[in-house]
Amino acid sequence: MDAPIEPIEREGVFADKSLYSHDVFLSSAPYGPITLVQPKKGFRAGSDAIFLAMAQAFPEDSHILDVGCGAGLAALTALSANKNIKITGLEKQEFYADTARHNAEINRFSDSFSVVQGDIKNALTLFPPDFFTHILTNPPYYAEGAGRKSPLQEKSISHQAEDISLKIWIRSALSVLKNHGTIMTILRTERLSDMLEALMGRAGGIVIFPLFSREDQNTAKRVIVKATKASKTPPSLRKGITIHDGDSNAYSAHAKQVINGGAFLGI
């Protein structure tokens, strides 16, 4: 196992700890831990990005597109847990694209993590068709007009789709995915029907993996969905994972392993 990567300390705007937090993740990852710089106000990455990136192990030489990469936590998680992979981040907001590039640099992943600023609607003008081997994406949680809108523009754009449906988001992403490549997404359970509609006729082998907050809850608020482009395999529903123990906010043993980068969900 290679030695963990130590982050580079760099002066500049991101060093202002009154505006930015410097959070450490993935203490058990083979090529971690990582330091994630992100704004104290606005959209902040957390466990969803890690669960998404740790959903499956990626073969060496995979080229992954992270759609809506934000500050880069999902991409950095995948790089910290997998050997010899390459990730391209696609981020609509210039601020977060710059933040993701900074995080790639301070964690010494600049050679394997590049960031393109752009809109997923324009995927085929940004990338060749059938180009990536895998896709990770954490689309906005709410459809346009749904949910409570944040007064902070950066957070609002990340949480709510303003000018794009989930169907267009997913189908645009699939247009630059190789046949038999996988797309992995995490979303609110209430948007599952929209997700299945977006995948219809374009991807199969759909796996639905619930994320239960606690053991005594019968309903999962979030799900991870994996699909394989051009596959005809029937869908399947997995047992899922319970994230917290009892009534506390402590992670369950399995969730803690995943969050720290020491185990994959194996979806």
Coordinates of all heavy atoms in Angstrom, one line a residue, residues 175-262:
S175 N -25.0 10.4 -22.7 CA -24.5 10.6 -24.0 C -23.0 10.6 -24.2 O -22.5 10.3 -25.2 CB -25.1 11.9 -24.6 OG -24.5 13.0 -24.0
V176 N -22.3 10.8 -23.1 CA -20.8 10.8 -23.1 C -20.3 9.6 -22.3 O -19.1 9.5 -22.1 CB -20.2 12.1 -22.6 CG1 -20.6 13.3 -23.5 CG2 -20.7 12.4 -21.1
L177 N -21.1 8.6 -22.0 CA -20.7 7.4 -21.4 C -20.6 6.3 -22.4 O -21.5 6.1 -23.2 CB -21.8 7.0 -20.3 CG -21.5 5.7 -19.5 CD1 -20.3 5.8 -18.6 CD2 -22.7 5.4 -18.6
K178 N -19.6 5.5 -22.3 CA -19.4 4.3 -23.1 C -20.5 3.3 -22.9 O -21.0 3.2 -21.8 CB -18.0 3.6 -22.9 CG -16.8 4.4 -23.3 CD -15.6 3.7 -22.9 CE -14.3 4.4 -23.3 NZ -14.1 4.5 -24.7
N179 N -20.9 2.5 -23.9 CA -21.8 1.4 -23.8 C -21.2 0.5 -22.7 O -20.0 0.1 -22.7 CB -22.0 0.7 -25.1 CG -23.0 1.4 -26.0 OD1 -23.7 2.3 -25.5 ND2 -23.1 1.0 -27.2
H180 N -22.1 0.0 -21.8 CA -21.7 -0.9 -20.8 C -20.9 -0.3 -19.6 O -20.5 -0.9 -18.7 CB -21.0 -2.2 -21.3 CG -21.8 -2.8 -22.4 ND1 -23.1 -3.4 -22.2 CD2 -21.5 -3.0 -23.7 CE1 -23.5 -3.9 -23.4 NE2 -22.6 -3.7 -24.3
G181 N -20.8 1.1 -19.7 CA -20.2 1.8 -18.6 C -21.3 2.1 -17.6 O -22.5 2.0 -17.9
T182 N -21.0 2.4 -16.4 CA -22.0 2.6 -15.3 C -22.2 4.1 -15.0 O -21.2 4.9 -15.1 CB -21.6 1.9 -14.0 OG1 -20.3 2.4 -13.5 CG2 -21.4 0.4 -14.3
I183 N -23.4 4.4 -14.6 CA -23.7 5.7 -14.0 C -24.2 5.5 -12.6 O -25.0 4.6 -12.4 CB -24.7 6.5 -14.9 CG1 -25.0 7.9 -14.3 CG2 -26.0 5.7 -15.1 CD1 -25.7 8.8 -15.2
M184 N -23.7 6.2 -11.7 CA -24.0 6.1 -10.3 C -24.5 7.5 -9.8 O -23.9 8.5 -10.0 CB -22.8 5.7 -9.5 CG -23.1 5.2 -8.0 SD -23.6 3.5 -7.9 CE -22.1 2.7 -8.3
T185 N -25.7 7.5 -9.1 CA -26.2 8.7 -8.6 C -26.8 8.5 -7.2 O -27.2 7.4 -6.9 CB -27.3 9.3 -9.6 OG1 -27.7 10.6 -9.1 CG2 -28.5 8.4 -9.7
I186 N -26.8 9.6 -6.4 CA -27.5 9.6 -5.1 C -28.6 10.7 -5.2 O -28.3 11.8 -5.7 CB -26.5 9.8 -4.0 CG1 -27.2 9.7 -2.6 CG2 -25.8 11.1 -4.1 CD1 -26.2 9.6 -1.5
L187 N -29.8 10.3 -4.7 CA -30.9 11.3 -4.8 C -31.9 11.0 -3.7 O -31.9 9.9 -3.1 CB -31.5 11.3 -6.2 CG -32.2 10.1 -6.7 CD1 -33.1 10.4 -7.8 CD2 -31.3 9.0 -7.1
R188 N -32.8 12.0 -3.5 CA -33.9 11.7 -2.6 C -34.9 10.7 -3.2 O -35.1 10.6 -4.4 CB -34.7 13.1 -2.4 CG -33.9 14.1 -1.6 CD -34.7 15.4 -1.6 NE -35.9 15.3 -0.9 CZ -36.1 15.5 0.4 NH1 -35.0 15.7 1.2 NH2 -37.2 15.4 1.0
T189 N -35.4 9.8 -2.3 CA -36.3 8.7 -2.7 C -37.5 9.2 -3.5 O -37.9 8.5 -4.5 CB -36.7 7.9 -1.5 OG1 -35.6 7.5 -0.8 CG2 -37.5 6.7 -1.9
E190 N -38.0 10.4 -3.2 CA -39.1 10.9 -3.9 C -38.8 11.2 -5.4 O -39.8 11.4 -6.2 CB -39.6 12.2 -3.2 CG -38.6 13.3 -3.3 CD -38.9 14.4 -2.2 OE1 -39.1 14.1 -1.0 OE2 -38.9 15.6 -2.6
R191 N -37.6 11.3 -5.8 CA -37.2 11.5 -7.2 C -36.9 10.2 -7.9 O -36.4 10.2 -9.1 CB -36.0 12.5 -7.3 CG -36.3 13.8 -6.6 CD -35.4 14.9 -7.1 NE -35.9 15.4 -8.4 CZ -35.2 16.2 -9.2 NH1 -34.0 16.6 -8.9 NH2 -35.7 16.6 -10.4
L192 N -37.1 9.1 -7.3 CA -36.7 7.8 -7.9 C -37.5 7.5 -9.1 O -36.9 7.1 -10.1 CB -36.9 6.7 -6.9 CG -36.6 5.3 -7.3 CD1 -35.1 5.2 -7.8 CD2 -36.9 4.2 -6.2
S193 N -38.8 7.9 -9.2 CA -39.5 7.6 -10.4 C -39.0 8.5 -11.5 O -39.0 8.0 -12.7 CB -41.0 7.9 -10.1 OG -41.2 9.3 -9.7
D194 N -38.6 9.7 -11.3 CA -38.0 10.5 -12.3 C -36.7 9.9 -12.8 O -36.4 10.0 -14.0 CB -37.7 11.9 -11.8 CG -39.0 12.7 -11.4 OD1 -40.1 12.4 -12.0 OD2 -39.0 13.6 -10.6
M195 N -35.9 9.4 -11.9 CA -34.7 8.8 -12.3 C -34.9 7.5 -13.2 O -34.2 7.4 -14.2 CB -33.9 8.3 -11.0 CG -32.6 7.7 -11.3 SD -31.4 9.0 -12.0 CE -30.0 7.9 -12.3
L196 N -35.9 6.7 -12.8 CA -36.1 5.5 -13.6 C -36.6 5.9 -15.0 O -36.3 5.3 -16.0 CB -37.2 4.6 -12.9 CG -36.7 4.0 -11.6 CD1 -37.8 3.2 -10.9 CD2 -35.4 3.2 -11.8
E197 N -37.4 7.0 -15.1 CA -37.9 7.4 -16.4 C -36.8 7.9 -17.2 O -36.7 7.7 -18.5 CB -38.9 8.6 -16.2 CG -39.5 9.1 -17.5 CD -40.4 10.3 -17.3 OE1 -40.7 10.7 -16.2 OE2 -40.9 10.8 -18.3
A198 N -35.8 8.6 -16.6 CA -34.6 9.1 -17.4 C -33.8 8.0 -17.9 O -33.2 8.1 -19.0 CB -33.8 10.0 -16.4
L199 N -33.7 6.9 -17.2 CA -32.9 5.8 -17.6 C -33.6 4.9 -18.7 O -32.9 4.1 -19.4 CB -32.5 4.9 -16.4 CG -31.6 5.6 -15.4 CD1 -31.5 4.7 -14.1 CD2 -30.2 5.8 -16.0
M200 N -34.9 5.0 -18.7 CA -35.7 4.0 -19.6 C -35.2 4.1 -21.0 O -35.1 5.1 -21.7 CB -37.2 4.4 -19.5 CG -38.1 3.4 -20.2 SD -39.8 3.9 -20.0 CE -40.0 3.9 -18.2
G201 N -34.9 2.9 -21.6 CA -34.5 2.8 -23.0 C -33.1 3.1 -23.2 O -32.6 2.9 -24.4
R202 N -32.4 3.5 -22.2 CA -31.0 3.9 -22.4 C -30.0 3.2 -21.5 O -28.8 3.0 -21.8 CB -30.8 5.4 -22.2 CG -31.4 6.3 -23.3 CD -31.5 7.7 -22.9 NE -31.9 8.6 -24.1 CZ -33.1 8.7 -24.6 NH1 -34.1 8.0 -24.1 NH2 -33.3 9.4 -25.6
A203 N -30.5 2.7 -20.4 CA -29.6 1.9 -19.5 C -30.5 0.9 -18.7 O -31.7 1.0 -18.5 CB -29.0 2.9 -18.5
G204 N -29.8 -0.2 -18.4 CA -30.5 -1.3 -17.6 C -29.6 -1.7 -16.5 O -28.7 -1.1 -16.1
G205 N -29.9 -2.9 -16.0 CA -29.1 -3.5 -14.9 C -29.2 -2.5 -13.7 O -28.3 -2.4 -12.9
I206 N -30.4 -1.9 -13.5 CA -30.6 -0.9 -12.5 C -30.6 -1.5 -11.1 O -31.3 -2.4 -10.9 CB -31.9 -0.1 -12.8 CG1 -31.8 0.6 -14.1 CG2 -32.1 0.9 -11.6 CD1 -33.2 1.2 -14.6
V207 N -29.7 -0.9 -10.3 CA -29.6 -1.4 -8.9 C -30.1 -0.2 -8.0 O -29.5 0.9 -8.1 CB -28.2 -1.8 -8.5 CG1 -28.1 -2.2 -7.1 CG2 -27.7 -2.9 -9.4
I208 N -31.0 -0.5 -7.1 CA -31.5 0.6 -6.2 C -31.0 0.2 -4.8 O -31.3 -0.9 -4.3 CB -33.0 0.7 -6.2 CG1 -33.5 1.0 -7.6 CG2 -33.5 1.7 -5.2 CD1 -35.0 0.9 -7.8
F209 N -30.3 1.1 -4.2 CA -29.6 0.8 -2.9 C -30.1 1.9 -1.9 O -29.6 3.0 -1.9 CB -28.1 0.8 -3.1 CG -27.3 0.4 -1.9 CD1 -26.9 -0.9 -1.8 CD2 -26.9 1.3 -0.9 CE1 -26.2 -1.4 -0.7 CE2 -26.2 0.9 0.2 CZ -25.8 -0.5 0.3
P210 N -31.0 1.5 -0.9 CA -31.5 2.5 0.0 C -30.5 2.9 1.1 O -29.7 2.0 1.5 CB -32.7 1.8 0.7 CG -33.0 0.6 -0.2 CD -31.7 0.2 -0.8
L211 N -30.6 4.1 1.5 CA -29.8 4.6 2.6 C -30.7 4.9 3.8 O -31.4 6.0 3.7 CB -29.0 5.9 2.2 CG -28.0 5.7 1.1 CD1 -27.4 7.1 0.7 CD2 -26.9 4.7 1.4
F212 N -30.8 4.1 4.8 CA -31.7 4.3 5.9 C -31.0 5.1 7.0 O -29.8 4.7 7.3 CB -32.1 2.9 6.5 CG -33.0 2.1 5.6 CD1 -32.4 1.1 4.8 CD2 -34.4 2.3 5.5 CE1 -33.2 0.4 3.9 CE2 -35.1 1.6 4.6 CZ -34.6 0.6 3.8
S213 N -31.6 6.1 7.5 CA -31.0 6.9 8.5 C -30.8 6.1 9.8 O -29.7 6.1 10.4 CB -31.8 8.1 8.9 OG -31.9 9.0 7.7
R214 N -31.8 5.3 10.2 CA -31.7 4.5 11.4 C -32.4 3.1 11.2 O -33.2 3.0 10.4 CB -32.3 5.3 12.6 CG -31.7 6.7 12.8 CD -32.2 7.4 14.0 NE -31.8 8.8 13.9 CZ -30.5 9.2 14.2 NH1 -29.6 8.3 14.5 NH2 -30.2 10.5 14.1
E215 N -32.0 2.2 12.1 CA -32.4 0.8 11.9 C -34.0 0.7 12.1 O -34.6 -0.2 11.4 CB -31.7 -0.1 13.0 CG -31.9 -1.5 12.7 CD -31.0 -2.3 13.6 OE1 -29.8 -2.2 13.6 OE2 -31.5 -3.2 14.4
D216 N -34.6 1.5 12.9 CA -36.0 1.4 13.1 C -36.9 2.1 12.1 O -38.1 2.2 12.2 CB -36.4 1.8 14.5 CG -36.1 3.3 14.8 OD1 -35.4 3.9 13.9 OD2 -36.4 3.8 15.8
Q217 N -36.2 2.7 11.1 CA -37.0 3.4 10.1 C -37.3 2.5 8.9 O -36.4 1.8 8.4 CB -36.2 4.7 9.6 CG -36.1 5.7 10.7 CD -35.4 7.0 10.2 OE1 -34.8 7.0 9.1 NE2 -35.5 8.1 11.0
N218 N -38.6 2.5 8.5 CA -39.0 1.6 7.4 C -38.8 2.3 6.0 O -38.9 1.6 5.0 CB -40.4 1.3 7.6 CG -40.7 0.4 8.8 OD1 -39.8 -0.4 9.1 ND2 -41.8 0.6 9.5
T219 N -38.6 3.6 6.0 CA -38.5 4.4 4.8 C -37.1 5.0 4.7 O -36.7 5.7 5.6 CB -39.6 5.4 4.7 OG1 -40.9 4.8 4.8 CG2 -39.5 6.2 3.4
A220 N -36.5 4.8 3.5 CA -35.2 5.5 3.3 C -35.5 6.8 2.6 O -36.2 6.9 1.6 CB -34.3 4.6 2.4
K221 N -34.8 7.9 3.1 CA -35.0 9.2 2.5 C -34.2 9.4 1.3 O -34.5 10.2 0.4 CB -34.7 10.3 3.5 CG -35.7 10.3 4.7 CD -35.3 11.5 5.6 CE -36.3 11.5 6.8 NZ -35.9 12.6 7.8
R222 N -33.1 8.6 1.2 CA -32.2 8.7 0.0 C -31.9 7.3 -0.5 O -31.9 6.3 0.2 CB -30.9 9.4 0.4 CG -31.0 10.9 0.8 CD -29.7 11.4 1.4 NE -29.5 10.7 2.7 CZ -28.3 10.7 3.3 NH1 -27.3 11.3 2.8 NH2 -28.2 10.1 4.5
V223 N -31.6 7.3 -1.8 CA -31.2 6.0 -2.5 C -30.0 6.3 -3.4 O -29.8 7.4 -3.9 CB -32.3 5.4 -3.3 CG1 -33.4 4.9 -2.4 CG2 -32.8 6.4 -4.3
I224 N -29.2 5.3 -3.5 CA -28.2 5.3 -4.6 C -28.7 4.4 -5.7 O -29.2 3.4 -5.5 CB -26.8 4.7 -4.1 CG1 -26.2 5.7 -3.0 CG2 -25.8 4.6 -5.2 CD1 -25.0 5.2 -2.3
V225 N -28.6 5.0 -6.9 CA -29.0 4.2 -8.1 C -27.9 4.0 -9.0 O -27.2 5.0 -9.4 CB -30.2 4.9 -8.8 CG1 -30.6 4.2 -10.1 CG2 -31.4 5.1 -7.9
K226 N -27.6 2.8 -9.4 CA -26.6 2.4 -10.4 C -27.2 1.8 -11.6 O -28.2 1.0 -11.5 CB -25.6 1.4 -9.8 CG -24.5 0.9 -10.7 CD -23.7 -0.2 -10.0 CE -22.7 -0.8 -11.0 NZ -21.8 -1.8 -10.3
A227 N -26.8 2.2 -12.8 CA -27.3 1.7 -14.0 C -26.2 1.5 -15.0 O -25.1 2.2 -14.9 CB -28.4 2.6 -14.6
T228 N -26.3 0.6 -15.9 CA -25.3 0.3 -17.0 C -25.9 0.6 -18.3 O -27.0 0.1 -18.7 CB -24.9 -1.2 -16.9 OG1 -24.5 -1.5 -15.6 CG2 -23.9 -1.5 -17.9
K229 N -25.2 1.5 -19.0 CA -25.7 1.9 -20.3 C -25.8 0.7 -21.3 O -24.9 -0.1 -21.4 CB -24.7 3.0 -20.9 CG -25.2 3.6 -22.2 CD -24.3 4.7 -22.7 CE -24.7 5.3 -24.0 NZ -23.8 6.4 -24.5
A230 N -26.9 0.7 -22.0 CA -27.1 -0.3 -23.1 C -27.3 -1.7 -22.5 O -27.3 -2.7 -23.3 CB -26.0 -0.3 -24.2
S231 N -27.5 -1.9 -21.2 CA -27.7 -3.2 -20.6 C -29.2 -3.5 -20.7 O -30.1 -2.7 -20.6 CB -27.2 -3.2 -19.1 OG -27.6 -4.4 -18.5
K232 N -29.5 -4.8 -20.8 CA -30.8 -5.4 -20.8 C -31.2 -6.1 -19.6 O -32.2 -6.7 -19.4 CB -31.1 -6.3 -22.0 CG -30.8 -5.6 -23.4 CD -31.7 -4.5 -23.7 CE -31.5 -3.9 -25.1 NZ -32.4 -2.7 -25.3
T233 N -30.2 -6.1 -18.6 CA -30.4 -6.8 -17.4 C -31.6 -6.2 -16.5 O -31.7 -5.0 -16.4 CB -29.1 -6.8 -16.5 OG1 -28.1 -7.3 -17.3 CG2 -29.3 -7.6 -15.3
P234 N -32.4 -7.1 -15.9 CA -33.5 -6.6 -15.1 C -33.0 -5.8 -13.9 O -31.9 -6.0 -13.4 CB -34.3 -7.8 -14.7 CG -33.9 -8.9 -15.7 CD -32.5 -8.5 -16.0
P235 N -33.9 -4.9 -13.4 CA -33.5 -4.1 -12.2 C -33.5 -5.0 -10.9 O -34.1 -6.1 -10.9 CB -34.6 -3.1 -12.1 CG -35.8 -3.7 -12.8 CD -35.2 -4.5 -13.9
S236 N -32.8 -4.5 -9.9 CA -32.8 -5.2 -8.6 C -32.8 -4.2 -7.5 O -32.4 -3.1 -7.6 CB -31.5 -6.1 -8.5 OG -30.3 -5.3 -8.5
L237 N -33.4 -4.7 -6.3 CA -33.4 -3.8 -5.1 C -32.6 -4.5 -4.1 O -32.7 -5.6 -3.7 CB -34.9 -3.7 -4.7 CG -35.1 -3.0 -3.3 CD1 -34.8 -1.5 -3.5 CD2 -36.6 -3.1 -2.9
R238 N -31.6 -3.7 -3.5 CA -30.7 -4.2 -2.5 C -31.2 -3.9 -1.1 O -32.1 -3.1 -0.9 CB -29.3 -3.6 -2.7 CG -28.7 -3.9 -4.1 CD -28.2 -5.4 -4.1 NE -27.6 -5.7 -5.4 CZ -26.3 -5.4 -5.8 NH1 -25.5 -4.9 -4.9 NH2 -25.9 -5.7 -7.0
K239 N -30.6 -4.6 -0.2 CA -30.9 -4.4 1.3 C -30.6 -3.0 1.7 O -31.3 -2.4 2.6 CB -30.2 -5.4 2.1 CG -30.5 -5.4 3.6 CD -29.8 -6.5 4.3 CE -30.1 -6.4 5.8 NZ -29.3 -7.5 6.6
G240 N -29.5 -2.4 1.2 CA -29.1 -1.1 1.6 C -28.3 -1.0 2.9 O -27.7 -2.1 3.3
I241 N -28.1 0.1 3.5 CA -27.3 0.3 4.6 C -28.0 1.2 5.6 O -28.7 2.1 5.2 CB -25.9 0.9 4.2 CG1 -25.0 1.0 5.4 CG2 -26.1 2.3 3.6 CD1 -23.6 1.5 5.0
T242 N -27.8 1.0 6.9 CA -28.2 1.9 8.0 C -27.1 2.8 8.4 O -26.0 2.3 8.7 CB -28.7 1.1 9.2 OG1 -29.8 0.2 8.8 CG2 -29.2 2.0 10.3
I243 N -27.3 4.1 8.4 CA -26.2 5.0 8.5 C -25.9 5.3 10.0 O -24.7 5.3 10.3 CB -26.5 6.3 7.8 CG1 -26.7 6.0 6.3 CG2 -25.5 7.4 8.0 CD1 -27.2 7.2 5.5
H244 N -26.9 5.4 10.8 CA -26.6 5.8 12.2 C -27.1 4.6 13.2 O -28.0 3.9 12.9 CB -27.4 7.0 12.6 CG -26.9 8.2 11.8 ND1 -25.7 8.8 11.9 CD2 -27.6 8.9 10.8 CE1 -25.6 9.8 11.1 NE2 -26.7 9.9 10.4
D245 N -26.4 4.6 14.3 CA -26.7 3.6 15.4 C -27.8 4.2 16.3 O -27.6 5.4 16.8 CB -25.5 3.3 16.2 CG -24.7 2.2 15.6 OD1 -25.2 1.3 14.9 OD2 -23.4 2.1 15.9
G246 N -28.8 3.5 16.6 CA -29.8 3.9 17.6 C -30.3 5.3 17.3 O -30.6 5.7 16.2
D247 N -30.5 6.1 18.4 CA -31.0 7.4 18.3 C -29.8 8.4 18.2 O -30.1 9.6 18.2 CB -31.8 7.8 19.5 CG -33.1 6.9 19.6 OD1 -33.6 6.6 18.5 OD2 -33.6 6.6 20.7
S248 N -28.6 8.0 18.2 CA -27.5 8.9 18.2 C -27.1 9.3 16.7 O -27.7 8.8 15.8 CB -26.3 8.3 18.8 OG -25.7 7.3 18.0
N249 N -26.2 10.3 16.7 CA -25.7 10.7 15.3 C -24.4 10.0 15.0 O -23.8 10.2 13.9 CB -25.5 12.2 15.3 CG -26.8 13.0 15.4 OD1 -27.7 12.6 14.7 ND2 -26.8 14.1 16.1
A250 N -24.1 9.0 15.8 CA -22.9 8.2 15.5 C -23.1 7.3 14.3 O -24.2 6.7 14.2 CB -22.5 7.4 16.8
Y251 N -22.1 7.1 13.5 CA -22.2 6.2 12.4 C -22.3 4.8 12.8 O -21.6 4.4 13.8 CB -21.1 6.4 11.4 CG -21.2 7.7 10.6 CD1 -20.2 8.7 10.7 CD2 -22.2 7.9 9.7 CE1 -20.3 9.9 10.0 CE2 -22.3 9.1 9.0 CZ -21.4 10.1 9.1 OH -21.5 11.2 8.4
S252 N -23.0 3.9 12.1 CA -23.0 2.5 12.3 C -21.6 2.0 11.9 O -20.8 2.7 11.2 CB -24.0 1.8 11.5 OG -23.8 1.9 10.1
A253 N -21.2 0.8 12.3 CA -19.9 0.3 12.1 C -19.6 0.2 10.6 O -18.5 0.6 10.1 CB -19.7 -1.1 12.7
H254 N -20.6 -0.3 9.8 CA -20.4 -0.4 8.3 C -20.3 1.0 7.7 O -19.4 1.3 6.9 CB -21.6 -1.2 7.7 CG -21.4 -1.5 6.3 ND1 -22.4 -2.0 5.5 CD2 -20.3 -1.3 5.4 CE1 -21.9 -2.2 4.2 NE2 -20.7 -1.7 4.2
A255 N -21.2 1.9 8.1 CA -21.2 3.3 7.5 C -19.9 4.0 7.9 O -19.3 4.7 7.0 CB -22.4 4.1 8.1
K256 N -19.4 3.8 9.1 CA -18.1 4.4 9.5 C -17.0 3.9 8.6 O -16.1 4.7 8.2 CB -17.8 4.1 10.9 CG -16.6 4.9 11.5 CD -16.5 4.7 13.0 CE -15.3 5.5 13.5 NZ -15.2 5.3 15.0
Q257 N -16.9 2.6 8.3 CA -15.9 2.1 7.4 C -16.0 2.8 6.0 O -14.9 3.2 5.5 CB -16.1 0.6 7.2 CG -15.5 -0.2 8.4 CD -15.6 -1.7 8.0 OE1 -16.6 -2.2 7.6 NE2 -14.5 -2.4 8.0
V258 N -17.2 2.9 5.5 CA -17.3 3.5 4.2 C -16.9 5.0 4.2 O -16.2 5.5 3.4 CB -18.8 3.4 3.7 CG1 -19.0 4.1 2.4 CG2 -19.1 1.9 3.5
I259 N -17.4 5.7 5.2 CA -17.2 7.2 5.4 C -15.7 7.4 5.5 O -15.2 8.4 5.0 CB -17.9 7.7 6.6 CG1 -19.4 7.9 6.2 CG2 -17.4 9.1 7.0 CD1 -19.7 8.9 5.2
N260 N -15.0 6.5 6.1 CA -13.5 6.7 6.3 C -12.7 6.2 5.1 O -11.5 6.3 5.1 CB -13.0 6.1 7.6 CG -13.5 6.8 8.8 OD1 -13.7 8.0 8.8 ND2 -13.6 6.1 10.0
G261 N -13.4 5.7 4.1 CA -12.7 5.2 2.9 C -12.1 3.9 3.0 O -11.2 3.5 2.2
G262 N -12.5 3.1 4.1 CA -11.9 1.8 4.3 C -12.7 0.6 3.7 O -12.2 -0.5 3.7

